[in-house]
Amino acid sequence: MTYESVKQVLLTYRGDNTTTSPVAVAGAGGLCGVVSWALIYPIDSAKSIYQRNCLMHQKGDAMTRPKIQFSNKRMYRGIGVSMSRSAIVNAIFFSVFEFLKKHINALEDK
């Protein structure tokens, strides 16, 4: 949803809805990756903390559930790196996707 919405906004801003701009595709793909990590990162961090605590737990000891605090700054360590990587990967992925889609559609027209 994020990818298509941002792509359409960028194409509309450019004033040409008939052709897909590579810049719009890469920008929309990059922003899609950033938005997805912004939404999932706190949940992923909580899962990782829980898994770590389970692995450190000794068999036979009483295990208490960890208190997950989403307002804690430690929950967001590494978010910049993850978002940057995701933006680059998604920009490349969606650029390749649109390129292949364009060529496959051209085959159907023949």
Side-chain angles (χ1 to χ4, degrees):
M1 182 178 84
T2 304
Y3 169 72
E4 283 295 329
S5 299
V6 172
K7 184 177 83 169
Q8 290 303 319
V9 166
L10 291 174
L11 292 175
T12 303
Y13 178 75
R14 186 174 158 222
D16 184 15
N17 289 336
T18 58
T19 59
T20 304
S21 164
V23 174
V25 169
L31 191 59
C32 175
V34 168
V35 168
S36 67
W37 268 109
L39 295 174
I40 205 69
Y41 199 82
I43 297 166
D44 189 57
S45 293
K47 175 205 58 105
S48 296
I49 290 169
Y50 183 76
Q51 286 175 332
R52 181 200 64 205
N53 290 347
C54 286
L55 290 173
M56 293 174 60
H57 174 69
Q58 296 287 331
K59 195 171 190 175
D61 292 343
M63 185 173 154
T64 59
R65 289 187 182 203
K67 186 174 181 182
I68 306 297
Q69 297 173 334
F70 290 108
S71 59
N72 189 347
K73 288 167 86 171
R74 289 181 24 196
M75 292 287 289
Y76 299 94
R77 283 187 290 176
I79 194 169
V81 174
S82 294
M83 284 182 158
S84 300
R85 181 197 59 81
S86 182
I88 293 167
V89 167
N90 280 301
I92 293 168
F93 172 79
F94 281 107
S95 296
V96 170
F97 170 78
E98 288 290 340
F99 175 80
L100 292 175
K101 185 173 91 169
K102 180 180 174 183
H103 282 18
I104 289 170
N105 287 339
L107 292 174
E108 291 177 356
D109 293 337
K110 290 182 180 181

